[in-house]
Amino acid sequence: MHSESQIREPLILGHKTYAQITDDIIRPVEGKANKYWYILFTIACLTFLWGLGCLSYTVGVGIGVWGSNNGVDWAWDITNFVWWIGIGHAGTLISAVLLLFRQKWRLGINRSAEAMTIFAVMCAAIFVLFHTGRVWLDYMLFPLPNQFGSLWPNFNSPLLWDVFAVSTYFTISCVFWYIGLIPDFGTIRDRAINPMVKKAYNLLAFGWGGSARHWSRFEEVSLVLAGLSTPLVFSVHSIVSFDFATSILPGWHTTIFPPYFVSGAVFSGFAMVLTLMLIVRKVYNLQAYITVKHVEYMNIVIIVTGSIVGVAYLTELFISWYGGVEFEQYAFLNRATGPYWWAYAAMMTCNVVSPQLFWFKKIRTSLVATFILSIVVNIGMWFERFVIIVPTLCRTFLPSTWNMYHPTFVDIGIFTGTIGMFFTFFLLFSRFFPVIAQAELKTILKISGESQKKEVAEHAHEPAPTHAH
Amino acid sequence: MAATISKQIIHGIYDDEVPLLEACKKLKSAGIKIKDVFTPFPIHGIDPIIGVPRTRLAICAFIYGLTGLGLATLMMWYMMVSDWPTDVGGKPNWAYYFNIPAFIPISFESTVFCAGHGMALTYLLRCMLVPGARAKNPDPRTTNDKFMIYLELNDEQAHKAEALLREAGASEINHKGTITEKLPY
């Protein structure tokens, strides 16, 4: 067993044993939900229902009930799609990239972050599936033998790449998440007293027993899936950015889009993870496992990715001026000073200025400040997508097509509905699934546990055994 | 009648992974075969001691990935070049290599899709992890905080093993009856 430097802060606080870790993490699943859970769940469900109503209205009447119009033919739908997909990216980043880099702090947060990924991609999928107008014909997105003619989908189109990228991303994330959950379901099954509960978790646990051979394979699968998911997550948001970057519209036709979208995605995703984790640790009493240090690490990722996003904004502005193309120059001037200047200002403040506050240790270790700033960042990232899409489309080449975009109640309803759906699913997840990967967390107890670290430190002060030469 | 041999089932239970590893080493040097080890979390470095060979799942994943790459290439070649060479923006696909940059994203996605899902399925089936399967751990406490060495030994070896298990600090040693095994001859 290797021990870790004493300078590194412990990741599991207090004196915990293996049994205590199991108790602390599984107890919320076994116990009854408290009043707050029911209140939140009711609000989330009602919002979700309102969104479903707005979706049904869209399907019944048609896309015309949205605010999208002849000029601005992509608006809230794609803004929300990119926003949700971006949020999802943090989950994969935490569980895959941090696994490859052997970051032990990922173990406190990876399970919930992966759940967040899956629910966020589901929310994103709603927008792309319904924005086609005739949702019942969406199967035509896939390369199926086409009975309406002999045409195939166009493999040169980034929109088709998106179909493949998002569906691969969603299914691989689900598999990665579930394989990690199997050992924890085994633990719940073995502790369950109620026979019905035992049966249910037995079904979910797939017969897991924790044999050494199975653990060896488990670790190999996790490692290879992490290796596959890492380029996957970069490819998904790069392809999402290709939806814009491969067009010839000024303001969209830029080569900086893929890296800028990917870092923006990680930026907003970490903000959402923070929003959720700060609630989860409080509600389920997991302060010993999701510590202030975890929050600080995530805030550091936010500074880095937020600064990349800030540099990208400025680079875009510089290149549009330096490139000398009037159309390009106008597109950016219009974003900053045109009819939607307030959206641009909101984006700049929330995304470029606010994350810089995390340079102060006091702010990045303050839970209240982090919670507020994490929401600010998500608002900012929503505006970023809005700024890219709407102001660009409302001022294209032909001035006769110039017009404004106003969302209708249906647009707003579907968006709030997806937020409701996201929280409905997340609350159900946190109620019935272990929110921390407890089996894997136990592997770092002896290295990063607070009292275990102290013990090592005390032994270090003992006189070293003398060696005879 | 086939010759049979009767073996004792022994569960050596430990409260921590350090004495468990110690016991495994002792058993190994005494030449006693460890049937399996059940632990609440993966114990690094245990595989060579108890004789678990390195898994070949990563090789499977590589092969599945190549299959995915091949399938995607075949699909796009058939649909875009062979069956109906669509002329998009004056850029017809008369040959696959004409337009290869546009085919890279889907080739990559399909590689990852097949490698990931193929490997996950192989893993589940290789471990016989299927919905509703019976729990594979003989003692339910091993998914919480107990570590178990599972042995199936004849009477003479069982005696020796028990002493070694105890010497390494077993918190419990449970005898779970005997099984009868057919000998290969």
Side-chain angles (χ1 to χ4, degrees):
Chain A
M1 164 132 353
H2 75 281
S3 55
E4 181 184 79
S5 161
Q6 291 295 325
I7 299 167
R8 289 194 182 277
E9 282 176 42
L11 297 173
I12 299 171
L13 299 181
H15 180 77
K16 298 284 178 193
T17 60
Y18 294 135
Q20 262 172 304
I21 293 183
T22 320
D23 276 343
D24 289 347
I25 294 168
I26 308 290
R27 207 184 299 118
V29 178
E30 293 170 338
K32 280 201 160 50
N34 59 20
K35 192 173 64 187
Y36 299 107
W37 189 88
Y38 280 106
I39 294 172
L40 282 175
F41 190 69
T42 313
I43 298 171
C45 272
L46 289 176
T47 324
F48 182 21
L49 279 176
W50 174 242
L52 281 180
C54 289
L55 270 182
S56 319
Y57 183 54
T58 305
V59 173
V61 180
I63 286 291
V65 299
W66 290 0
S68 314
N69 52 47
N70 232 0
V72 188
D73 46 4
W74 265 6
W76 270 49
D77 46 348
I78 303 300
T79 303
N80 296 332
F81 162 71
V82 182
W83 189 69
W84 276 120
I85 279 278
I87 284 174
H89 280 31
T92 320
L93 197 95
I94 288 168
S95 51
V97 181
L98 297 186
L99 186 148
L100 294 183
F101 285 116
R102 300 275 175 221
Q103 291 297 304
K104 289 193 285 282
W105 58 277
R106 78 176 192 281
L107 292 168
I109 50 173
N110 64 350
R111 172 69 44 75
S112 328
E114 282 170 46
M116 183 202 76
T117 294
I118 291 166
F119 305 144
V121 176
M122 284 159 78
C123 292
I126 285 183
F127 291 101
V128 277
L129 292 179
F130 282 85
H131 99 299
T132 56
R134 296 188 176 90
V135 68
W136 53 93
L137 294 179
D138 276 354
Y139 65 89
M140 288 170 74
L141 291 166
F142 290 99
L144 297 168
N146 189 334
Q147 63 269 53
F148 307 115
S150 35
L151 278 174
W152 294 102
N154 179 12
F155 284 90
N156 299 325
S157 163
L159 297 175
L160 187 66
W161 305 346
D162 234 1
V163 173
F164 278 83
V166 174
S167 39
T168 303
Y169 183 52
F170 178 68
T171 56
I172 292 283
S173 300
C174 286
V175 164
F176 199 8
W177 185 57
Y178 200 83
I179 282 186
L181 271 165
I182 287 174
D184 289 357
F185 283 144
T187 307
I188 304 181
R189 170 203 64 203
D190 288 343
R191 284 165 55 98
I193 298 157
N194 182 330
M196 282 309 288
V197 174
K198 207 177 186 77
K199 227 177 203 143
Y201 284 103
N202 187 44
L203 198 69
L204 291 170
F206 285 19
W208 177 260
S211 139
R213 273 180 184 75
H214 294 185
W215 275 125
S216 158
R217 291 178 194 140
F218 173 92
E219 295 225 291
E220 185 87 353
V221 170
S222 306
L223 188 66
V224 175
L225 279 182
L228 289 169
S229 304
T230 303
L232 178 65
V233 70
F234 290 107
S235 85
V236 172
H237 226 65
S238 297
I239 291 174
V240 168
S241 80
F242 291 162
D243 291 345
F244 304 99
T246 57
S247 73
I248 47 164
L249 220 55
W252 285 6
H253 187 62
T254 56
T255 46
I256 201 177
F257 262 29
Y260 150 37
F261 266 52
V262 170
S263 50
V266 175
F267 179 52
S268 66
F270 266 81
M272 186 58 107
V273 172
L274 276 169
T275 314
L276 292 174
M277 284 301 115
L278 289 173
I279 301 172
V280 162
R281 74 194 283 277
K282 189 96 189 150
V283 172
Y284 295 108
N285 215 6
L286 296 170
Q287 286 96 332
Y289 305 102
I290 305 166
T291 67
V292 175
K293 194 68 201 171
H294 286 84
V295 173
E296 194 187 345
Y297 280 135
M298 286 191 266
N299 281 334
I300 292 171
V301 176
I302 285 190
I303 304 177
V304 173
T305 50
S307 304
I308 296 176
V309 168
V311 169
Y313 291 165
L314 300 179
T315 311
E316 263 192 337
L317 284 179
F318 172 76
I319 292 296
S320 64
W321 165 74
Y322 188 67
V325 179
E326 294 92 333
F327 298 104
E328 199 74 26
Q329 286 170 346
Y330 176 71
F332 283 89
L333 199 66
N334 173 53
R335 275 185 197 175
T337 59
Y340 291 102
W341 65 270
W342 47 270
Y344 189 82
M347 167 187 100
M348 277 295 189
T349 327
C350 297
N351 291 351
V352 185
V353 181
S354 72
Q356 302 304 327
L357 292 173
F358 284 137
W359 286 105
F360 300 102
K361 194 169 172 101
K362 254 220 167 83
I363 295 181
R364 72 170 182 266
T365 52
S366 151
L367 300 180
V368 178
T370 304
F371 188 73
I372 295 168
L373 281 173
S374 72
I375 290 169
V376 167
V377 164
N378 264 319
I379 294 172
M381 283 308 289
W382 189 88
F383 273 115
E384 179 202 292
R385 280 66 183 251
F386 183 82
V387 164
I388 290 172
I389 294 160
V390 171
T392 308
L393 288 177
C394 79
R395 293 287 183 273
T396 46
F397 295 109
L398 276 180
S400 61
T401 63
W402 289 8
N403 54 4
M404 292 291 283
Y405 165 79
H406 303 283
T408 63
F409 82 93
V410 187
D411 282 304
I412 299 167
I414 296 175
F415 178 54
T416 46
T418 53
I419 295 177
M421 171 174 138
F422 179 78
F423 279 98
T424 306
F425 287 164
F426 194 83
L427 285 165
L428 283 174
F429 154 76
S430 67
R431 184 76 195 82
F432 297 108
F433 289 10
V435 289
I436 293 178
Q438 55 93 22
E440 286 179 274
L441 188 73
K442 286 172 186 163
T443 59
I444 64 160
L445 175 65
K446 289 213 172 148
I447 308 162
S448 302
E450 190 180 15
S451 77
Q452 285 82 354
K453 274 186 94 112
K454 266 196 196 123
E455 235 166 72
V456 173
E458 276 156 23
H459 283 301
H461 293 301
E462 283 170 8
T466 47
H467 297 283
H469 290 283
Chain B
M1 201 181 103
T4 57
I5 183 168
S6 162
K7 282 187 169 177
Q8 295 188 27
I9 299 174
I10 300 173
H11 293 177
I13 309 248
Y14 292 82
D15 293 338
D16 195 277
E17 74 271 24
V18 179
L20 174 111
L21 270 175
E22 199 51 43
C24 289
K25 281 179 197 156
K26 283 193 163 132
L27 289 170
K28 197 197 176 190
S29 51
I32 293 169
K33 191 175 174 282
I34 298 167
K35 183 90 178 170
D36 213 335
V37 171
F38 294 93
T39 55
F41 55 83
I43 312 244
H44 292 159
I46 200 173
D47 292 359
I49 300 172
I50 63 168
V52 172
R54 188 169 156 73
T55 164
R56 288 161 296 179
L57 277 170
I59 302 170
C60 294
F62 184 73
I63 295 167
Y64 294 132
L66 283 185
T67 315
L69 179 66
L71 284 176
T73 310
L74 195 69
M75 172 180 78
M76 288 188 286
W77 168 79
Y78 173 70
M79 292 175 189
M80 293 299 287
V81 179
S82 160
D83 190 47
W84 191 287
T86 329
D87 186 336
V88 183
K91 287 172 278 187
N93 294 280
W94 298 127
Y96 194 76
Y97 68 85
F98 272 24
N99 220 350
I100 219 159
F103 300 141
I104 289 173
I106 291 180
S107 305
F108 170 76
E109 300 302 335
S110 170
T111 309
V112 169
F113 186 91
C114 292
H117 289 295
M119 185 190 199
L121 273 178
T122 313
Y123 159 71
L124 293 177
L125 294 177
R126 186 73 185 79
C127 298
M128 283 308 287
L129 294 170
V130 285
R134 221 160 48 86
K136 289 174 180 58
N137 46 338
D139 190 314
R141 293 171 302 167
T142 59
T143 53
N144 181 9
D145 64 337
K146 298 289 181 209
F147 303 75
M148 182 211 275
I149 299 181
Y150 179 89
L151 301 166
E152 284 176 8
L153 302 168
N154 61 34
D155 293 349
E156 184 204 337
Q157 276 190 318
H159 200 67
K160 205 160 72 176
E162 214 180 305
L164 289 172
L165 287 173
R166 191 151 285 147
E167 196 184 309
S171 62
E172 287 171 37
I173 292 174
N174 300 326
H175 292 271
K176 294 286 175 180
T178 55
I179 52 159
T180 318
E181 236 177 50
K182 262 189 203 144
L183 285 175
Y185 44 84

